[in-house]
């Protein structure tokens, strides 16, 4: 199903502010899929062309919603399907802070989200089956994850501590009272 889509309609419906609107309270009808895609490197495309305006990408990211394995742009009056190659967010920075529960890791996405790794926003690392390289992810919001970029991942590794197990050594980081594994050393 296809729909004629005007990005300006979303601005009219949800505004251009920086807060995440209450998407979980909106229950619009599905209006079809549009030709919008988020590439695995975090770039957004509309009708095959990159969306060059950072403000538009940030605005679209505010109304991004996930149901099952499908992604949508959602407003109070419509919901349109889009394609996401891997995950919709790219984590570009990590900061180490001290909070009420001890060390905290604060992450920033390319769209300006700031997320603390905690029980609600866990950090996980997969290993690429082909390259054997780590692929770290952080839960951002509404069941959607962000892929942690290489530089931010290296910062995490520098902050990690080693935990000895009988047959391996695991790298872990602490944040908001939680312990997250970065993987085992070979």
């Amino acid at each position: 199903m296809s729909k004629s889509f005007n990005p300006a309609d979303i601005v009219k419906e949800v505004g251009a502010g920086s807060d995440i609107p209450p998407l979980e309270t909106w229950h619009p009808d599905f209006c079809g899929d549009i030709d919008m895609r988020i590439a695995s490197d975090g770039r957004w495309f509309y009708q095959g062309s990159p969306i060059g305006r950072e403000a538009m990408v940030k605005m679209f990211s505010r109304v991004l919603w996930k149901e099952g394995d499908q992604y949508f742009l959602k407003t109070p009056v419509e919901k349109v399907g889009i394609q996401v190659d891997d995950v919709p967010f790219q984590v570009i920075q990590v900061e180490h802070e001290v909070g009420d529960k001890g060390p905290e890791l604060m992450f920033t996405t390319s769209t300006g989200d700031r997320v603390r790794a905690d029980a609600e926003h866990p950090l996980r690392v997969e290993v690429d089956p082909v390259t054997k390289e780590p692929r770290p992810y952080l839960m951002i919001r509404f069941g959607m994850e962000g892929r942690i970029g290489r530089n931010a991942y290296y910062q995490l590794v520098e902050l990690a501590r080693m935990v000895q197990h009988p047959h391996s050594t695991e790298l872990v980081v602490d944040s908001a009272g939680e312990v997250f594994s970065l993987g085992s050393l070979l």
Side-chain angles (χ1 to χ4, degrees), residues 18 53 70 94 129 137 146 148 150:
S18 61
R53 290 186 51 210
Q70 296 180 305
V94 61
Y137 297 91
I148 298 172
R150 185 171 293 202

Side-chain angles (χ1 to χ4, degrees), residues 1-3 27-34 67 70-73 77-82:
M1 185 184 288
S2 177
K3 172 182 176 33
H27 305 288
D29 291 332
F30 177 65
C31 299
D33 293 327
I34 60 169
E67 293 176 14
Q70 296 180 305
Y71 292 88
F72 303 92
L73 297 181
V77 297
E78 70 179 349
K79 179 172 75 172
V80 293
I82 68 168

Side-chain angles (χ1 to χ4, degrees), residues 37-108:
R37 179 176 71 91
I38 305 172
S40 60
D41 63 4
R43 290 182 300 150
W44 288 60
F45 292 85
Y46 180 58
Q47 296 182 337
S49 297
I51 300 174
R53 290 186 51 210
E54 187 176 318
M56 289 296 285
V57 169
K58 285 182 179 184
M59 188 266 309
F60 288 139
S61 77
R62 290 179 41 243
V63 296
L64 193 58
W65 182 255
K66 182 178 180 186
E67 293 176 14
D69 291 333
Q70 296 180 305
Y71 292 88
F72 303 92
L73 297 181
K74 186 173 165 181
T75 73
V77 297
E78 70 179 349
K79 179 172 75 172
V80 293
I82 68 168
Q83 294 297 312
V84 176
D85 291 352
D86 182 18
V87 294
F89 298 101
Q90 294 294 306
V91 177
I92 58 172
Q93 182 179 353
V94 61
E95 298 172 47
H96 186 256
E97 301 176 356
V98 178
D100 295 340
K101 296 181 179 181
E104 293 184 349
L105 298 171
M106 289 297 296
F107 295 85
T108 304

Side-chain angles (χ1 to χ4, degrees), residues 110-131:
S110 59
T111 53
D113 295 273
R114 285 190 43 84
V115 179
R116 178 183 70 185
D118 56 21
E120 190 177 325
H121 303 96
L123 172 69
R124 70 180 180 89
V125 178
E126 290 183 358
V127 176
D128 185 291
V130 175
T131 66

